[in-house]
Amino acid sequence: MQTQIPVIVTFISGILIMALFFIPREPFTQIEQLTSRWYIIISGFALLLGIDSLILYHWRKIKRRDKDAVYSLILIISFFIALFWGIWAWYAYGGPFISNSSYLWLFQNIYLPLDATMFSILGFFIASASYRAFRARNLESSLLLISAAIVMMGRVPFGGSIFIPFFFVFMIVAGSYFLYIATKYTGFNAIFRYFLAILFLSLGIGVFFYSELLSQFIPSLSNWIMQYPNTAGQRAIILGLTLGSIAFSLRIIFGIERGYIR
Amino acid sequence: MLFVVFNTPLPAESLVVKVENNKVILNWKHPKVPILKYEIYRASDNFSKEEPELIGQTNENYFIDTLVRANVNYSYLVRAYVNDTTYTDTDWSNVVLVKIEIQEKKPWFDIRKLPVLVFLIIFGGLFFFFYYSSRLGNVPYIRKIAGLEAIDDAVGRATEMGRPIIYTTGIGALSDPAIIGGIAILKYVAKRVAGYGIDLIVPNNDPLIMLASREAVKEGYTESGRPDLYKEENIMFLTTQQFGFAAGFNGIVVREKPGAAFYQGYFYAESLLMAETSYNVGSINIAGTTAVTQLPFFIVSCDYTLIGEELYAASAYLSKNPSEIGTIKSEDIAKVLLIVFIIIGAILATTSSFGVFTELKDLYFNLFKVGGE
């Protein structure tokens, strides 16, 4: 019974919502909105459980005098300051987010900068993650590195102009590297590396002869990568996702998939 | 009640009031002096012009009154404030009446959505065909999914290191299939963790997901025969705010230094913040999401990533239940059908650009249009 009732409720709700998509007639069009409101109301009550969980978790840490209990203490103090300040702002100004409310000051000068700080840290994490991802260890990661470099240069202001010196330095360094290591090999391996060295050095020097053409070419190439290979890849994933999502929903609606309940 | 003080700014000019779609739309011009705010007053059958009703305030030069009743006369006045005490009023607007719009009775079926219904019937047919076929013993082969195979290794590694495991379903609502998929994997992870006796920490950003996670973890521990090891306090709510949640999660990761971190659900910009932090403390990261924009971040920062539909297939894969596995086959067949449709469309689009099969192309493309788009 404990599993049957949720499965029956899920089945009826799922079929109803699916049918509503096809019925444009009143009052059916409003049922979806109505169920969304129910969800919001239930979430509102559930938030009390969430707050209870949060406070109890940190209160236990303080009681046990855990190593990092001071953070828990700060959290509980901040929580109650924000709560009572908000209630008081409601009483004093008619709402916490009214233009002259002091709570709005708290929100704009403490909460928003903290939120923005967390978001801006993302820039550093992207740099460190990109460094790991773009190491040319094999063919795939080399292709990723090259396409990422083109897209990045094509998308930033003056990217086309930056490309010329960047390409020159890269090709000269790469050409010199292959020239250096070619001396350590013999036979075909040496010839192949000499070939690569000459190719890179020639391309590096040749870039100056076609600088104007190349500076326009990079933004176009960047757009092409984003519009075609990237969009194609994303659409393939979205297609699979959509089918997966429908199959998963059918499994849940018909009670085949019960992993989420007891 | 309404009066104009000395030294007032120029009034908010040319108040225009009109009724559209059962709403009253007010427009006026900004005065030539900076305005702190506008207050909108409304007179009706219940509120006289001497004691009007304050219905809202704005900084823009328009206001939409949605809280109107049918067949009631309304008149409006806009008060422009230069500062907290100095203001000026427009004249009262003309009287407007909101009439009930009698809507034409709509049909019982939206014919524009017929292609969706046809696709749903075809897909539903495939789904149930493979479901019953699997139940009769024709269980299809499913390739190994590295991310799911690695769960046991990750749990074992965390046990050897004597560190806890952290698991999050990300940011989303319980109605999101990706979150439900994440909770199903959580139950499997809980089963594995229970066998080794290490802590499983599950921070949540939604209280309803927290409750569902608690149930799943408790069930996992019970199925493993170790309900005594279940710690409810380890499945906690942090905050509904995106970056607040990321900060809280990262705080736990830095303090507890988990041996394995699982990201299975729906994520936004916080994905990389969290995955990089757990990478930096030496966790093995296993991610899975249906958020296409976040997949690249997980791929670069995690050891294993379930891409898109793999997350939906995970619970069937882990349960090893033949009837569940069978339904995955229907996705593959539907995918092949879609690929065929796309190829035919591409050929027709190409040939029609040369003036060949133009009508056929239009007919074919119209077959797939939903809602006239």
Side-chain angles (χ1 to χ4, degrees), chain B residues 9-43:
Chain B
L10 292 167
E13 292 165 352
S14 61
L15 173 63
V16 177
V17 178
K18 58 182 176 183
V19 180
E20 267 183 30
N21 299 326
N22 299 334
K23 295 169 197 161
V24 180
I25 300 167
L26 287 75
N27 284 287
W28 60 90
K29 283 182 185 169
H30 282 303
K32 289 170 185 167
V33 290
I35 292 296
L36 179 69
K37 63 176 177 182
Y38 296 105
E39 282 183 351
I40 293 55
Y41 288 87
R42 186 174 71 182

PDB file of all heavy atoms in Angstrom, chain B residues 9-43:
ATOM      1  N   PRO B   9       7.141  70.094  -8.406  1.00  0.00           N
ATOM      2  CA  PRO B   9       7.717  69.901  -9.739  1.00  0.00           C
ATOM      3  C   PRO B   9       6.614  69.947 -10.781  1.00  0.00           C
ATOM      4  O   PRO B   9       5.430  69.994 -10.453  1.00  0.00           O
ATOM      5  CB  PRO B   9       8.295  68.504  -9.654  1.00  0.00           C
ATOM      6  CG  PRO B   9       7.443  67.814  -8.657  1.00  0.00           C
ATOM      7  CD  PRO B   9       7.023  68.849  -7.679  1.00  0.00           C
ATOM      8  N   LEU B  10       7.010  69.867 -12.018  1.00  0.00           N
ATOM      9  CA  LEU B  10       6.019  69.812 -13.092  1.00  0.00           C
ATOM     10  C   LEU B  10       5.225  68.511 -12.954  1.00  0.00           C
ATOM     11  O   LEU B  10       5.773  67.485 -12.582  1.00  0.00           O
ATOM     12  CB  LEU B  10       6.741  69.832 -14.448  1.00  0.00           C
ATOM     13  CG  LEU B  10       7.437  71.138 -14.786  1.00  0.00           C
ATOM     14  CD1 LEU B  10       8.351  70.915 -15.970  1.00  0.00           C
ATOM     15  CD2 LEU B  10       6.428  72.223 -15.096  1.00  0.00           C
ATOM     16  N   PRO B  11       3.948  68.550 -13.256  1.00  0.00           N
ATOM     17  CA  PRO B  11       3.163  67.318 -13.064  1.00  0.00           C
ATOM     18  C   PRO B  11       3.529  66.265 -14.101  1.00  0.00           C
ATOM     19  O   PRO B  11       4.044  66.560 -15.156  1.00  0.00           O
ATOM     20  CB  PRO B  11       1.730  67.797 -13.273  1.00  0.00           C
ATOM     21  CG  PRO B  11       1.838  69.023 -14.100  1.00  0.00           C
ATOM     22  CD  PRO B  11       3.138  69.657 -13.757  1.00  0.00           C
ATOM     23  N   ALA B  12       3.275  65.020 -13.709  1.00  0.00           N
ATOM     24  CA  ALA B  12       3.427  63.934 -14.682  1.00  0.00           C
ATOM     25  C   ALA B  12       2.322  64.145 -15.707  1.00  0.00           C
ATOM     26  O   ALA B  12       1.143  64.118 -15.380  1.00  0.00           O
ATOM     27  CB  ALA B  12       3.251  62.596 -13.978  1.00  0.00           C
ATOM     28  N   GLU B  13       2.750  64.397 -16.919  1.00  0.00           N
ATOM     29  CA  GLU B  13       1.784  64.883 -17.910  1.00  0.00           C
ATOM     30  C   GLU B  13       1.076  63.766 -18.675  1.00  0.00           C
ATOM     31  O   GLU B  13       1.543  62.640 -18.694  1.00  0.00           O
ATOM     32  CB  GLU B  13       2.525  65.774 -18.921  1.00  0.00           C
ATOM     33  CG  GLU B  13       3.020  67.053 -18.304  1.00  0.00           C
ATOM     34  CD  GLU B  13       4.038  67.744 -19.195  1.00  0.00           C
ATOM     35  OE1 GLU B  13       4.450  67.145 -20.201  1.00  0.00           O
ATOM     36  OE2 GLU B  13       4.419  68.863 -18.861  1.00  0.00           O
ATOM     37  N   SER B  14       0.030  64.157 -19.311  1.00  0.00           N
ATOM     38  CA  SER B  14      -0.702  63.353 -20.293  1.00  0.00           C
ATOM     39  C   SER B  14      -0.939  61.912 -19.858  1.00  0.00           C
ATOM     40  O   SER B  14      -0.432  60.972 -20.463  1.00  0.00           O
ATOM     41  CB  SER B  14       0.048  63.373 -21.633  1.00  0.00           C
ATOM     42  OG  SER B  14       1.324  62.823 -21.463  1.00  0.00           O
ATOM     43  N   LEU B  15      -1.700  61.774 -18.829  1.00  0.00           N
ATOM     44  CA  LEU B  15      -2.066  60.426 -18.367  1.00  0.00           C
ATOM     45  C   LEU B  15      -3.094  59.832 -19.330  1.00  0.00           C
ATOM     46  O   LEU B  15      -4.150  60.406 -19.553  1.00  0.00           O
ATOM     47  CB  LEU B  15      -2.631  60.516 -16.942  1.00  0.00           C
ATOM     48  CG  LEU B  15      -3.205  59.237 -16.366  1.00  0.00           C
ATOM     49  CD1 LEU B  15      -2.132  58.168 -16.229  1.00  0.00           C
ATOM     50  CD2 LEU B  15      -3.842  59.511 -15.018  1.00  0.00           C
ATOM     51  N   VAL B  16      -2.737  58.682 -19.893  1.00  0.00           N
ATOM     52  CA  VAL B  16      -3.642  57.995 -20.824  1.00  0.00           C
ATOM     53  C   VAL B  16      -3.989  56.634 -20.230  1.00  0.00           C
ATOM     54  O   VAL B  16      -3.096  55.890 -19.819  1.00  0.00           O
ATOM     55  CB  VAL B  16      -2.966  57.805 -22.213  1.00  0.00           C
ATOM     56  CG1 VAL B  16      -3.879  57.023 -23.145  1.00  0.00           C
ATOM     57  CG2 VAL B  16      -2.619  59.149 -22.808  1.00  0.00           C
ATOM     58  N   VAL B  17      -5.268  56.342 -20.172  1.00  0.00           N
ATOM     59  CA  VAL B  17      -5.724  55.085 -19.565  1.00  0.00           C
ATOM     60  C   VAL B  17      -6.540  54.310 -20.600  1.00  0.00           C
ATOM     61  O   VAL B  17      -7.434  54.880 -21.224  1.00  0.00           O
ATOM     62  CB  VAL B  17      -6.586  55.375 -18.317  1.00  0.00           C
ATOM     63  CG1 VAL B  17      -7.112  54.083 -17.711  1.00  0.00           C
ATOM     64  CG2 VAL B  17      -5.784  56.142 -17.286  1.00  0.00           C
ATOM     65  N   LYS B  18      -6.187  53.041 -20.766  1.00  0.00           N
ATOM     66  CA  LYS B  18      -6.984  52.229 -21.706  1.00  0.00           C
ATOM     67  C   LYS B  18      -7.100  50.784 -21.192  1.00  0.00           C
ATOM     68  O   LYS B  18      -6.267  50.325 -20.390  1.00  0.00           O
ATOM     69  CB  LYS B  18      -6.362  52.264 -23.099  1.00  0.00           C
ATOM     70  CG  LYS B  18      -4.946  51.781 -23.168  1.00  0.00           C
ATOM     71  CD  LYS B  18      -4.413  51.910 -24.570  1.00  0.00           C
ATOM     72  CE  LYS B  18      -2.946  51.493 -24.558  1.00  0.00           C
ATOM     73  NZ  LYS B  18      -2.283  51.642 -25.824  1.00  0.00           N
ATOM     74  N   VAL B  19      -8.132  50.097 -21.683  1.00  0.00           N
ATOM     75  CA  VAL B  19      -8.398  48.709 -21.248  1.00  0.00           C
ATOM     76  C   VAL B  19      -7.954  47.764 -22.359  1.00  0.00           C
ATOM     77  O   VAL B  19      -8.295  47.965 -23.523  1.00  0.00           O
ATOM     78  CB  VAL B  19      -9.912  48.508 -20.968  1.00  0.00           C
ATOM     79  CG1 VAL B  19     -10.178  47.073 -20.508  1.00  0.00           C
ATOM     80  CG2 VAL B  19     -10.399  49.498 -19.940  1.00  0.00           C
ATOM     81  N   GLU B  20      -7.147  46.773 -21.958  1.00  0.00           N
ATOM     82  CA  GLU B  20      -6.706  45.765 -22.931  1.00  0.00           C
ATOM     83  C   GLU B  20      -6.654  44.410 -22.258  1.00  0.00           C
ATOM     84  O   GLU B  20      -6.010  44.275 -21.196  1.00  0.00           O
ATOM     85  CB  GLU B  20      -5.298  46.106 -23.449  1.00  0.00           C
ATOM     86  CG  GLU B  20      -5.302  46.935 -24.715  1.00  0.00           C
ATOM     87  CD  GLU B  20      -3.887  47.191 -25.221  1.00  0.00           C
ATOM     88  OE1 GLU B  20      -3.004  46.335 -24.986  1.00  0.00           O
ATOM     89  OE2 GLU B  20      -3.701  48.250 -25.826  1.00  0.00           O
ATOM     90  N   ASN B  21      -7.274  43.424 -22.834  1.00  0.00           N
ATOM     91  CA  ASN B  21      -7.251  42.044 -22.318  1.00  0.00           C
ATOM     92  C   ASN B  21      -7.570  41.972 -20.824  1.00  0.00           C
ATOM     93  O   ASN B  21      -6.807  41.396 -20.035  1.00  0.00           O
ATOM     94  CB  ASN B  21      -5.891  41.380 -22.583  1.00  0.00           C
ATOM     95  CG  ASN B  21      -5.578  41.294 -24.037  1.00  0.00           C
ATOM     96  OD1 ASN B  21      -6.466  41.122 -24.845  1.00  0.00           O
ATOM     97  ND2 ASN B  21      -4.317  41.463 -24.369  1.00  0.00           N
ATOM     98  N   ASN B  22      -8.624  42.607 -20.427  1.00  0.00           N
ATOM     99  CA  ASN B  22      -9.073  42.595 -19.031  1.00  0.00           C
ATOM    100  C   ASN B  22      -8.074  43.233 -18.064  1.00  0.00           C
ATOM    101  O   ASN B  22      -8.062  42.919 -16.878  1.00  0.00           O
ATOM    102  CB  ASN B  22      -9.398  41.168 -18.557  1.00  0.00           C
ATOM    103  CG  ASN B  22     -10.508  40.542 -19.365  1.00  0.00           C
ATOM    104  OD1 ASN B  22     -11.352  41.252 -19.926  1.00  0.00           O
ATOM    105  ND2 ASN B  22     -10.499  39.228 -19.457  1.00  0.00           N
ATOM    106  N   LYS B  23      -7.196  44.105 -18.579  1.00  0.00           N
ATOM    107  CA  LYS B  23      -6.256  44.842 -17.730  1.00  0.00           C
ATOM    108  C   LYS B  23      -6.397  46.315 -18.073  1.00  0.00           C
ATOM    109  O   LYS B  23      -6.796  46.663 -19.194  1.00  0.00           O
ATOM    110  CB  LYS B  23      -4.811  44.440 -18.015  1.00  0.00           C
ATOM    111  CG  LYS B  23      -4.485  43.015 -17.665  1.00  0.00           C
ATOM    112  CD  LYS B  23      -3.129  42.678 -18.233  1.00  0.00           C
ATOM    113  CE  LYS B  23      -2.928  41.177 -18.274  1.00  0.00           C
ATOM    114  NZ  LYS B  23      -1.867  40.799 -19.195  1.00  0.00           N
ATOM    115  N   VAL B  24      -6.057  47.183 -17.107  1.00  0.00           N
ATOM    116  CA  VAL B  24      -6.071  48.621 -17.393  1.00  0.00           C
ATOM    117  C   VAL B  24      -4.621  49.086 -17.506  1.00  0.00           C
ATOM    118  O   VAL B  24      -3.815  48.846 -16.605  1.00  0.00           O
ATOM    119  CB  VAL B  24      -6.806  49.400 -16.279  1.00  0.00           C
ATOM    120  CG1 VAL B  24      -6.805  50.892 -16.585  1.00  0.00           C
ATOM    121  CG2 VAL B  24      -8.229  48.904 -16.146  1.00  0.00           C
ATOM    122  N   ILE B  25      -4.279  49.700 -18.620  1.00  0.00           N
ATOM    123  CA  ILE B  25      -2.904  50.129 -18.864  1.00  0.00           C
ATOM    124  C   ILE B  25      -2.841  51.649 -18.775  1.00  0.00           C
ATOM    125  O   ILE B  25      -3.585  52.352 -19.460  1.00  0.00           O
ATOM    126  CB  ILE B  25      -2.402  49.632 -20.237  1.00  0.00           C
ATOM    127  CG1 ILE B  25      -2.452  48.093 -20.244  1.00  0.00           C
ATOM    128  CG2 ILE B  25      -0.995  50.127 -20.524  1.00  0.00           C
ATOM    129  CD1 ILE B  25      -2.288  47.479 -21.601  1.00  0.00           C
ATOM    130  N   LEU B  26      -1.945  52.141 -17.901  1.00  0.00           N
ATOM    131  CA  LEU B  26      -1.780  53.573 -17.701  1.00  0.00           C
ATOM    132  C   LEU B  26      -0.442  54.005 -18.302  1.00  0.00           C
ATOM    133  O   LEU B  26       0.581  53.353 -18.057  1.00  0.00           O
ATOM    134  CB  LEU B  26      -1.761  53.926 -16.205  1.00  0.00           C
ATOM    135  CG  LEU B  26      -3.065  53.857 -15.416  1.00  0.00           C
ATOM    136  CD1 LEU B  26      -3.464  52.435 -15.137  1.00  0.00           C
ATOM    137  CD2 LEU B  26      -2.909  54.616 -14.115  1.00  0.00           C
ATOM    138  N   ASN B  27      -0.442  55.084 -19.051  1.00  0.00           N
ATOM    139  CA  ASN B  27       0.805  55.647 -19.599  1.00  0.00           C
ATOM    140  C   ASN B  27       0.825  57.144 -19.330  1.00  0.00           C
ATOM    141  O   ASN B  27      -0.221  57.792 -19.392  1.00  0.00           O
ATOM    142  CB  ASN B  27       0.869  55.442 -21.111  1.00  0.00           C
ATOM    143  CG  ASN B  27       1.212  54.018 -21.458  1.00  0.00           C
ATOM    144  OD1 ASN B  27       2.335  53.588 -21.288  1.00  0.00           O
ATOM    145  ND2 ASN B  27       0.223  53.269 -21.918  1.00  0.00           N
ATOM    146  N   TRP B  28       2.004  57.683 -19.040  1.00  0.00           N
ATOM    147  CA  TRP B  28       2.143  59.129 -18.864  1.00  0.00           C
ATOM    148  C   TRP B  28       3.565  59.534 -19.217  1.00  0.00           C
ATOM    149  O   TRP B  28       4.433  58.663 -19.380  1.00  0.00           O
ATOM    150  CB  TRP B  28       1.803  59.542 -17.421  1.00  0.00           C
ATOM    151  CG  TRP B  28       2.677  58.911 -16.392  1.00  0.00           C
ATOM    152  CD1 TRP B  28       3.845  59.390 -15.894  1.00  0.00           C
ATOM    153  CD2 TRP B  28       2.457  57.653 -15.729  1.00  0.00           C
ATOM    154  NE1 TRP B  28       4.380  58.517 -14.973  1.00  0.00           N
ATOM    155  CE2 TRP B  28       3.532  57.442 -14.850  1.00  0.00           C
ATOM    156  CE3 TRP B  28       1.452  56.675 -15.796  1.00  0.00           C
ATOM    157  CZ2 TRP B  28       3.630  56.326 -14.043  1.00  0.00           C
ATOM    158  CZ3 TRP B  28       1.551  55.557 -14.985  1.00  0.00           C
ATOM    159  CH2 TRP B  28       2.635  55.386 -14.132  1.00  0.00           C
ATOM    160  N   LYS B  29       3.785  60.828 -19.377  1.00  0.00           N
ATOM    161  CA  LYS B  29       5.135  61.299 -19.697  1.00  0.00           C
ATOM    162  C   LYS B  29       5.872  61.640 -18.415  1.00  0.00           C
ATOM    163  O   LYS B  29       5.271  62.151 -17.477  1.00  0.00           O
ATOM    164  CB  LYS B  29       5.043  62.544 -20.578  1.00  0.00           C
ATOM    165  CG  LYS B  29       4.703  62.242 -22.025  1.00  0.00           C
ATOM    166  CD  LYS B  29       4.684  63.511 -22.821  1.00  0.00           C
ATOM    167  CE  LYS B  29       4.217  63.253 -24.249  1.00  0.00           C
ATOM    168  NZ  LYS B  29       3.957  64.503 -24.954  1.00  0.00           N
ATOM    169  N   HIS B  30       7.189  61.396 -18.424  1.00  0.00           N
ATOM    170  CA  HIS B  30       7.999  61.793 -17.266  1.00  0.00           C
ATOM    171  C   HIS B  30       8.042  63.320 -17.201  1.00  0.00           C
ATOM    172  O   HIS B  30       8.181  63.984 -18.234  1.00  0.00           O
ATOM    173  CB  HIS B  30       9.441  61.289 -17.424  1.00  0.00           C
ATOM    174  CG  HIS B  30       9.605  59.841 -17.114  1.00  0.00           C
ATOM    175  ND1 HIS B  30       9.260  59.288 -15.921  1.00  0.00           N
ATOM    176  CD2 HIS B  30      10.115  58.813 -17.854  1.00  0.00           C
ATOM    177  CE1 HIS B  30       9.524  58.008 -15.921  1.00  0.00           C
ATOM    178  NE2 HIS B  30      10.041  57.682 -17.102  1.00  0.00           N
ATOM    179  N   PRO B  31       7.966  63.942 -16.008  1.00  0.00           N
ATOM    180  CA  PRO B  31       8.183  65.392 -15.895  1.00  0.00           C
ATOM    181  C   PRO B  31       9.640  65.721 -16.199  1.00  0.00           C
ATOM    182  O   PRO B  31      10.482  64.818 -16.296  1.00  0.00           O
ATOM    183  CB  PRO B  31       7.870  65.687 -14.437  1.00  0.00           C
ATOM    184  CG  PRO B  31       7.254  64.477 -13.894  1.00  0.00           C
ATOM    185  CD  PRO B  31       7.676  63.332 -14.728  1.00  0.00           C
ATOM    186  N   LYS B  32       9.938  67.004 -16.338  1.00  0.00           N
ATOM    187  CA  LYS B  32      11.310  67.374 -16.715  1.00  0.00           C
ATOM    188  C   LYS B  32      12.243  67.460 -15.509  1.00  0.00           C
ATOM    189  O   LYS B  32      13.351  67.949 -15.608  1.00  0.00           O
ATOM    190  CB  LYS B  32      11.289  68.695 -17.488  1.00  0.00           C
ATOM    191  CG  LYS B  32      10.690  68.495 -18.878  1.00  0.00           C
ATOM    192  CD  LYS B  32      10.432  69.772 -19.593  1.00  0.00           C
ATOM    193  CE  LYS B  32       9.740  69.473 -20.904  1.00  0.00           C
ATOM    194  NZ  LYS B  32       9.191  70.675 -21.506  1.00  0.00           N
ATOM    195  N   VAL B  33      11.788  67.051 -14.367  1.00  0.00           N
ATOM    196  CA  VAL B  33      12.661  67.013 -13.180  1.00  0.00           C
ATOM    197  C   VAL B  33      12.816  65.548 -12.763  1.00  0.00           C
ATOM    198  O   VAL B  33      11.940  64.737 -13.055  1.00  0.00           O
ATOM    199  CB  VAL B  33      12.057  67.821 -12.004  1.00  0.00           C
ATOM    200  CG1 VAL B  33      12.095  69.301 -12.278  1.00  0.00           C
ATOM    201  CG2 VAL B  33      10.646  67.341 -11.688  1.00  0.00           C
ATOM    202  N   PRO B  34      13.930  65.187 -12.099  1.00  0.00           N
ATOM    203  CA  PRO B  34      14.094  63.787 -11.675  1.00  0.00           C
ATOM    204  C   PRO B  34      13.014  63.397 -10.650  1.00  0.00           C
ATOM    205  O   PRO B  34      12.712  64.176  -9.754  1.00  0.00           O
ATOM    206  CB  PRO B  34      15.481  63.770 -11.020  1.00  0.00           C
ATOM    207  CG  PRO B  34      16.143  65.000 -11.482  1.00  0.00           C
ATOM    208  CD  PRO B  34      15.082  66.003 -11.747  1.00  0.00           C
ATOM    209  N   ILE B  35      12.459  62.240 -10.862  1.00  0.00           N
ATOM    210  CA  ILE B  35      11.363  61.798  -9.995  1.00  0.00           C
ATOM    211  C   ILE B  35      11.829  60.621  -9.135  1.00  0.00           C
ATOM    212  O   ILE B  35      12.489  59.700  -9.630  1.00  0.00           O
ATOM    213  CB  ILE B  35      10.155  61.371 -10.869  1.00  0.00           C
ATOM    214  CG1 ILE B  35       9.555  62.589 -11.577  1.00  0.00           C
ATOM    215  CG2 ILE B  35       9.072  60.670 -10.053  1.00  0.00           C
ATOM    216  CD1 ILE B  35       8.952  63.643 -10.692  1.00  0.00           C
ATOM    217  N   LEU B  36      11.511  60.682  -7.842  1.00  0.00           N
ATOM    218  CA  LEU B  36      11.880  59.600  -6.924  1.00  0.00           C
ATOM    219  C   LEU B  36      11.022  58.357  -7.200  1.00  0.00           C
ATOM    220  O   LEU B  36      11.520  57.246  -7.319  1.00  0.00           O
ATOM    221  CB  LEU B  36      11.692  60.081  -5.476  1.00  0.00           C
ATOM    222  CG  LEU B  36      12.003  59.077  -4.379  1.00  0.00           C
ATOM    223  CD1 LEU B  36      13.493  58.800  -4.331  1.00  0.00           C
ATOM    224  CD2 LEU B  36      11.506  59.593  -3.041  1.00  0.00           C
ATOM    225  N   LYS B  37       9.724  58.597  -7.305  1.00  0.00           N
ATOM    226  CA  LYS B  37       8.798  57.469  -7.587  1.00  0.00           C
ATOM    227  C   LYS B  37       7.430  58.030  -7.969  1.00  0.00           C
ATOM    228  O   LYS B  37       7.144  59.217  -7.772  1.00  0.00           O
ATOM    229  CB  LYS B  37       8.648  56.579  -6.351  1.00  0.00           C
ATOM    230  CG  LYS B  37       8.020  57.301  -5.168  1.00  0.00           C
ATOM    231  CD  LYS B  37       7.797  56.390  -3.995  1.00  0.00           C
ATOM    232  CE  LYS B  37       7.225  57.189  -2.826  1.00  0.00           C
ATOM    233  NZ  LYS B  37       7.008  56.466  -1.626  1.00  0.00           N
ATOM    234  N   TYR B  38       6.596  57.153  -8.539  1.00  0.00           N
ATOM    235  CA  TYR B  38       5.206  57.501  -8.811  1.00  0.00           C
ATOM    236  C   TYR B  38       4.317  56.610  -7.956  1.00  0.00           C
ATOM    237  O   TYR B  38       4.611  55.425  -7.782  1.00  0.00           O
ATOM    238  CB  TYR B  38       4.854  57.243 -10.280  1.00  0.00           C
ATOM    239  CG  TYR B  38       5.600  58.083 -11.278  1.00  0.00           C
ATOM    240  CD1 TYR B  38       6.622  57.546 -12.045  1.00  0.00           C
ATOM    241  CD2 TYR B  38       5.267  59.425 -11.476  1.00  0.00           C
ATOM    242  CE1 TYR B  38       7.305  58.298 -12.971  1.00  0.00           C
ATOM    243  CE2 TYR B  38       5.950  60.186 -12.412  1.00  0.00           C
ATOM    244  CZ  TYR B  38       6.965  59.621 -13.153  1.00  0.00           C
ATOM    245  OH  TYR B  38       7.633  60.380 -14.066  1.00  0.00           O
ATOM    246  N   GLU B  39       3.231  57.215  -7.448  1.00  0.00           N
ATOM    247  CA  GLU B  39       2.217  56.403  -6.765  1.00  0.00           C
ATOM    248  C   GLU B  39       0.954  56.445  -7.617  1.00  0.00           C
ATOM    249  O   GLU B  39       0.583  57.493  -8.164  1.00  0.00           O
ATOM    250  CB  GLU B  39       1.918  56.947  -5.377  1.00  0.00           C
ATOM    251  CG  GLU B  39       2.992  56.579  -4.360  1.00  0.00           C
ATOM    252  CD  GLU B  39       2.679  57.039  -2.949  1.00  0.00           C
ATOM    253  OE1 GLU B  39       1.708  57.798  -2.753  1.00  0.00           O
ATOM    254  OE2 GLU B  39       3.437  56.665  -2.051  1.00  0.00           O
ATOM    255  N   ILE B  40       0.284  55.298  -7.709  1.00  0.00           N
ATOM    256  CA  ILE B  40      -0.907  55.221  -8.557  1.00  0.00           C
ATOM    257  C   ILE B  40      -2.125  55.064  -7.650  1.00  0.00           C
ATOM    258  O   ILE B  40      -2.178  54.153  -6.820  1.00  0.00           O
ATOM    259  CB  ILE B  40      -0.827  54.027  -9.544  1.00  0.00           C
ATOM    260  CG1 ILE B  40       0.265  54.171 -10.609  1.00  0.00           C
ATOM    261  CG2 ILE B  40      -2.097  53.933 -10.395  1.00  0.00           C
ATOM    262  CD1 ILE B  40       1.582  54.395 -10.345  1.00  0.00           C
ATOM    263  N   TYR B  41      -3.064  55.976  -7.804  1.00  0.00           N
ATOM    264  CA  TYR B  41      -4.295  55.943  -7.014  1.00  0.00           C
ATOM    265  C   TYR B  41      -5.459  55.585  -7.919  1.00  0.00           C
ATOM    266  O   TYR B  41      -5.489  55.958  -9.092  1.00  0.00           O
ATOM    267  CB  TYR B  41      -4.552  57.295  -6.349  1.00  0.00           C
ATOM    268  CG  TYR B  41      -3.584  57.567  -5.214  1.00  0.00           C
ATOM    269  CD1 TYR B  41      -2.348  58.158  -5.456  1.00  0.00           C
ATOM    270  CD2 TYR B  41      -3.908  57.202  -3.915  1.00  0.00           C
ATOM    271  CE1 TYR B  41      -1.451  58.379  -4.430  1.00  0.00           C
ATOM    272  CE2 TYR B  41      -3.024  57.433  -2.879  1.00  0.00           C
ATOM    273  CZ  TYR B  41      -1.794  58.018  -3.136  1.00  0.00           C
ATOM    274  OH  TYR B  41      -0.921  58.239  -2.109  1.00  0.00           O
ATOM    275  N   ARG B  42      -6.416  54.868  -7.345  1.00  0.00           N
ATOM    276  CA  ARG B  42      -7.560  54.424  -8.129  1.00  0.00           C
ATOM    277  C   ARG B  42      -8.858  54.740  -7.394  1.00  0.00           C
ATOM    278  O   ARG B  42      -8.983  54.448  -6.196  1.00  0.00           O
ATOM    279  CB  ARG B  42      -7.466  52.909  -8.350  1.00  0.00           C
ATOM    280  CG  ARG B  42      -8.512  52.356  -9.263  1.00  0.00           C
ATOM    281  CD  ARG B  42      -8.269  50.886  -9.551  1.00  0.00           C
ATOM    282  NE  ARG B  42      -8.534  50.042  -8.386  1.00  0.00           N
ATOM    283  CZ  ARG B  42      -8.360  48.728  -8.366  1.00  0.00           C
ATOM    284  NH1 ARG B  42      -7.879  48.111  -9.430  1.00  0.00           N
ATOM    285  NH2 ARG B  42      -8.622  48.024  -7.291  1.00  0.00           N
ATOM    286  N   ALA B  43      -9.800  55.364  -8.111  1.00  0.00           N
ATOM    287  CA  ALA B  43     -11.134  55.590  -7.553  1.00  0.00           C
ATOM    288  C   ALA B  43     -12.084  54.630  -8.253  1.00  0.00           C
ATOM    289  O   ALA B  43     -11.933  54.348  -9.446  1.00  0.00           O
ATOM    290  CB  ALA B  43     -11.553  57.028  -7.800  1.00  0.00           C
TER     291      ALA B  43
END
